[in-house]
Amino acid sequence: MLNETTAHISKKIAVATNDNVLVAGHVGRCKAFLIYETDGSKIISKEIRENSFTHHSPNGDHAKDHHHQHGDGHQNLVAGLKDCESLIFNHGGWRLIEDLKAHNITPILTNEEVAENAVLKYLNGNLVISEENVCRSHQQ
C-alpha cells in the first residue's frame, strides 16, 4: 500500500512543437505535440504525437482553414490532448485559449524556447508566462 510520501500523482503536459525540441508558436500549424508524463516534480517519460488534430496543415491555407476551425471550435485538438492537464505553446488565439480552458486543459503561453526546459520550469513554478502572446485580432 502506498502512503502519501511515496505516492506520486502522474500528470501529462503537452508542448506544441515543429522539431520535437523547441516550443512552437502556432498550435494549429505545429507538426506534433510532445507529451511529457510527470510525477508533479520531474519528467518520467516523453511521447511524440503527430498533429492530426487541427484543421490547419503546415503547408495549408491558413485563412481558409482558420474560418472552418472556428465554426466547430477546437474539438479535435481537445480530444487529441484530453489526457493532458496543460498545453505549453508560444502564442495563440483567444478562441483556442477559451476552448482549452472549457475542457480543463490549462493553456500556458511562454517565450521559453526549449520544450523540456519549459516543462521543468513549469513543474518548479519558474516558467515565465507570457499572456501578451494571446492574439485577440478577431475578437468581437
Side-chain angles (χ1 to χ4, degrees):
M1 183 171 177
L2 295 175
N3 64 36
E4 287 184 30
T5 60
T6 60
H8 294 287
I9 298 172
S10 177
K11 61 182 176 179
K12 292 183 179 180
I13 300 169
V15 182
T17 187
N18 288 317
D19 61 3
N20 301 335
V21 175
L22 301 177
V23 178
H26 193 290
V27 173
R29 291 185 180 211
C30 73
K31 292 183 179 177
F33 296 93
L34 297 170
I35 309 299
Y36 290 90
E37 185 171 357
T38 74
D39 70 358
S41 64
K42 67 180 185 267
I43 295 169
I44 298 169
S45 66
K46 177 175 78 171
E47 166 195 351
I48 299 169
R49 284 188 199 161
E50 296 300 317
N51 182 5
S52 60
F53 314 128
T54 64
H55 294 289
H56 300 311
S57 62
N59 299 316
D61 179 5
H62 173 68
K64 179 178 79 176
D65 292 339
H66 194 260
H67 295 289
H68 291 294
Q69 173 108 4
H70 297 310
D72 61 3
H74 298 92
Q75 285 88 358
N76 291 340
L77 175 65
V78 168
L81 300 176
K82 68 183 175 198
D83 59 331
C84 300
E85 79 163 28
S86 307
L87 173 59
I88 297 174
F89 52 106
N90 180 263
H91 63 270
W94 65 273
R95 289 179 180 151
L96 169 64
I97 305 294
E98 293 305 315
D99 283 348
L100 290 170
K101 288 179 182 177
H103 291 89
N104 298 313
I105 300 173
T106 304
I108 303 168
L109 291 95
T110 186
N111 291 325
E112 184 69 38
E113 294 182 1
V114 178
E116 191 165 319
N117 292 347
V119 171
L120 291 171
K121 287 181 179 182
Y122 176 66
L123 291 173
N124 294 322
N126 297 323
L127 183 64
V128 176
I129 307 298
S130 302
E131 295 197 17
E132 69 275 8
N133 292 6
V134 176
C135 174
R136 299 185 186 282
S137 63
H138 299 297
Q139 193 169 12
Q140 296 177 338

